[in-house]
Amino acid sequence: MIIIFWISIFLIVYTFVGYGFVLYILVRIKGIFKKPYIFKTEAALPSVTVLIAAYNEEDIIEDKIENTLQLNYPKDKVQAIFITDGSSDSTADKVRGFDDITLLHQDIRAGKMAAIKRAIPYIKGEITVFTDANTFLNKEALLELVKHYQNPKVGAVAGEKRILVEETADASSAGEGFYWKYESKLKKWDYELYSNVGAAGELFSIRTNLYQPVESDTIIDDHMIAMRIAENGFIIAYEPGAYAMETASADVKEELKRKIRIAAGGIQSIMRLKKAANPFNNPVFTFQYISHRVLRWTITPFLLFLVFILNVIIALDTQNAFYQIFLVLQVLFYLLSLTGLYFESRNIRVKALFIPYYFCVMNYAVLAGIIRYYKKNQSAAWEKSKRKI
C-alpha cells in the first residue's frame, strides 16, 4: 500500500511539475551539443491560406475579418477562407460583405472537422493557418509562423495562446491565464528538445500537402491534425512570436464546459494516435507525448483520489507523523479549493485561492470528460464559447 502511495505521488508530481523540470534540464544539455536552426531573413515567403471556422459569431466576426486582412504579409500571397456551417445568425451575411474573403456556408451543422474537410479543396496556399473566430492575431503572426518552414523537418507550427487577464480577474480568468503561461513554457521547451505534442486551435499552421483527413467525429481537431503530421516523422514547431489573444471564459462554469470537451477529445485522440504512443517509432517524441499529454488525460486525476484514500488509511494504520502531516496538507489544499468555489459564487476575488481551485476544476473536468467520452455523450460539433467582454 505504501509503495502504491509513493508511486502515485511520483506520477502526480511528475505530471504537473516534474516533467517541466526534466524537460528544462534536457534542453540545457542539448544546447551544449547542438545549436538551434538558423533562419534566413531573405528566404522567399510561401503562399498562405488562413482558415477560420465560425459558428454564430455575428458579434465579433467583422472584427476578426479586419484583423485577418491587416496581418503583415504580402496580400497577393494570402487567401482567407471563412466557414460558417450551421450558423443561424447573421455571421454568413456579414462575411459576404467582404470581397477579399472566401465564404463557405451551408445550413447543415456537422462539426468543425467536417467543416474543415469541406474547405480543403478550396485551399490554395502552401501553408494553411488555422485560427478561431473569437481570437485576434498579432500583425506579425504569419511571418513568424512561416519562417519555421525553412526547416524541411518541420511539418506544423503552433502559435501561442494568450489569455487577457484583468487585475480584478476571477478564478476562471486568473487560473486560465496562469495555466496557459505554464503551458507556453512547456511548449517552448518541448520544441527545443524535439517537437511539440499537439497544437491549440486558436493558432497553428501546417504544410498543406501534409494534411491528412481525420475522422469527422474528431472532438479536438487541431490536436489531431498536428499529431497525424508528427506521427509521420515531422516536427511540430512552436513560435511564441505568433500569438492569438482572447478573453478568458465568462466564468468557471463555461471554462469547465470547455475543459470537459477537451478531456473527452483527449481520450479519443489517445485511442487513435497509436504511433505517437509507440516508443519504437520515435522514443523522444513518445516520451514527450506521454509526459505532457497522456498522463494528464488518463490516470493522474484518478491518482489524486487514490493518494488521498491511501493517505487516510496509512495515517490511521501506522500513526506515522509524516503521513499524518501530509494528510493535513491535502485536506487544507482541498479546503482552500472549496473556499475558492464559495468565493467565486459570491464574486469575491482572492487570488491566493485561484490556483488550488482551478487545479481541482481542471482535474474534475478530465474525470467528467473520460466519463462523457465512454458514454458517447460528447458531440464533435463545436459550441460557441461564452467569453468575458
Side-chain angles (χ1 to χ4, degrees):
M1 186 180 299
I2 292 177
I3 293 174
I4 296 173
F5 173 82
W6 282 108
I7 290 175
S8 301
I9 288 288
F10 171 79
L11 289 173
I12 292 169
V13 174
Y14 176 76
T15 299
F16 296 111
V17 181
Y19 175 60
F21 178 77
V22 171
L23 197 56
Y24 175 76
I25 298 298
L26 292 175
V27 166
R28 294 297 295 267
I29 293 173
K30 180 184 176 181
I32 297 173
F33 300 100
K34 187 175 181 179
K35 300 301 179 184
Y37 190 91
I38 305 300
F39 303 113
K40 298 176 182 178
T41 56
E42 71 280 2
L45 293 174
S47 56
V48 171
T49 294
V50 182
L51 193 63
I52 300 102
Y55 171 68
N56 284 356
E57 297 284 1
E58 63 180 1
D59 294 335
I60 202 172
I61 198 67
E62 290 174 313
D63 292 333
K64 176 63 178 182
I65 293 173
E66 292 293 350
N67 174 251
T68 303
L69 295 176
Q70 291 171 9
L71 295 174
N72 184 9
Y73 207 81
K75 301 305 178 186
D76 61 334
K77 290 192 173 185
V78 179
Q79 175 195 28
I81 299 177
F82 280 70
I83 320 160
T84 58
D85 290 357
S87 290
S88 56
D89 62 1
S90 63
T91 300
D93 292 332
K94 289 186 175 184
V95 176
R96 287 189 185 98
F98 292 83
D99 295 333
D100 297 331
I101 302 298
T102 298
L103 171 65
L104 301 178
H105 176 78
Q106 63 179 13
D107 293 332
I108 299 172
R109 185 182 178 210
K112 188 175 180 181
M113 195 60 247
I116 290 173
K117 281 184 176 181
R118 196 168 72 83
I120 295 301
Y122 297 89
I123 293 176
K124 299 176 181 177
E126 300 166 76
I127 306 299
T128 300
V129 176
F130 301 84
T131 178
D132 286 345
N134 64 345
T135 61
F136 296 93
L137 311 184
N138 61 309
K139 287 191 174 182
E140 307 300 314
L142 298 185
L143 291 172
E144 293 294 326
L145 289 174
V146 302
K147 69 183 182 183
H148 290 272
Y149 293 107
Q150 294 178 31
N151 183 350
K153 295 180 181 179
V154 170
V157 185
E160 180 173 303
K161 175 180 177 178
R162 296 187 181 181
I163 301 296
L164 301 175
V165 181
E166 300 175 357
E167 285 298 317
T168 57
D170 59 10
S172 65
S173 301
E176 190 179 354
F178 176 83
Y179 170 79
W180 278 107
K181 286 180 181 178
Y182 179 61
E183 268 296 291
S184 295
K185 186 63 69 175
L186 289 183
K187 289 178 179 180
K188 178 178 179 292
W189 291 338
D190 268 333
Y191 178 40
E192 289 177 0
L193 179 63
Y194 173 66
S195 172
N196 262 274
V197 285
E202 286 76 13
L203 178 60
F204 78 104
S205 64
I206 66 171
R207 292 186 192 272
T208 305
N209 63 354
L210 295 181
Y211 170 79
Q212 294 183 61
V214 299
E215 296 82 348
S216 293
D217 66 342
T218 298
I219 300 169
I220 47 175
D221 49 275
D222 40 24
H223 177 72
M224 284 295 294
I225 290 172
M227 287 295 287
R228 285 277 167 83
I229 291 173
E231 283 192 321
N232 283 336
F234 291 92
I235 292 171
I236 304 173
Y238 177 66
E239 179 47 65
Y243 52 88
M245 296 169 287
E246 69 176 3
T247 55
S249 299
D251 50 39
V252 171
K253 182 180 178 181
E254 283 295 312
E255 177 67 0
L256 183 60
K257 181 173 70 175
R258 193 176 68 84
K259 288 290 186 186
I260 290 174
R261 184 179 190 277
I262 291 173
I267 291 296
Q268 182 190 62
S269 67
I270 289 170
M271 298 298 180
R272 295 176 176 179
L273 294 170
K274 300 295 195 298
K275 288 177 68 176
N278 182 0
F280 296 102
N281 185 53
N282 187 327
V284 175
F285 186 68
T286 298
F287 159 71
Q288 293 179 291
Y289 174 55
I290 291 176
S291 298
H292 196 159
R293 298 295 183 196
V294 176
L295 290 177
R296 287 191 195 183
W297 286 342
T298 54
I299 65 171
T300 305
F302 294 98
L303 293 179
L304 290 169
F305 280 104
L306 180 62
V307 163
F308 186 82
I309 293 169
L310 290 178
N311 198 175
V312 172
I313 296 172
I314 294 171
L316 292 175
D317 184 55
T318 65
Q319 297 297 310
N320 185 299
F322 172 83
Y323 292 103
Q324 292 174 341
I325 294 172
F326 194 84
L327 178 59
V328 170
L329 292 176
Q330 282 200 79
V331 171
L332 286 175
F333 181 84
Y334 292 120
L335 285 176
L336 286 174
S337 178
L338 288 173
T339 305
L341 172 63
Y342 175 78
F343 282 1
E344 172 78 8
S345 66
R346 296 293 185 273
N347 205 30
I348 302 172
R349 314 301 183 212
V350 182
K351 290 189 176 181
L353 302 177
F354 290 167
I355 292 177
Y357 178 40
Y358 192 79
F359 177 84
C360 290
V361 167
M362 278 181 24
N363 283 283
Y364 168 77
V366 173
L367 294 173
I370 292 172
I371 293 170
R372 180 177 294 185
Y373 172 73
Y374 282 109
K375 284 187 174 181
K376 302 187 184 300
N377 289 336
Q378 179 60 61
S379 170
W382 76 95
E383 294 183 42
K384 179 179 170 63
S385 178
K386 295 179 182 178
R387 316 298 294 189
K388 292 189 181 298
I389 301 174

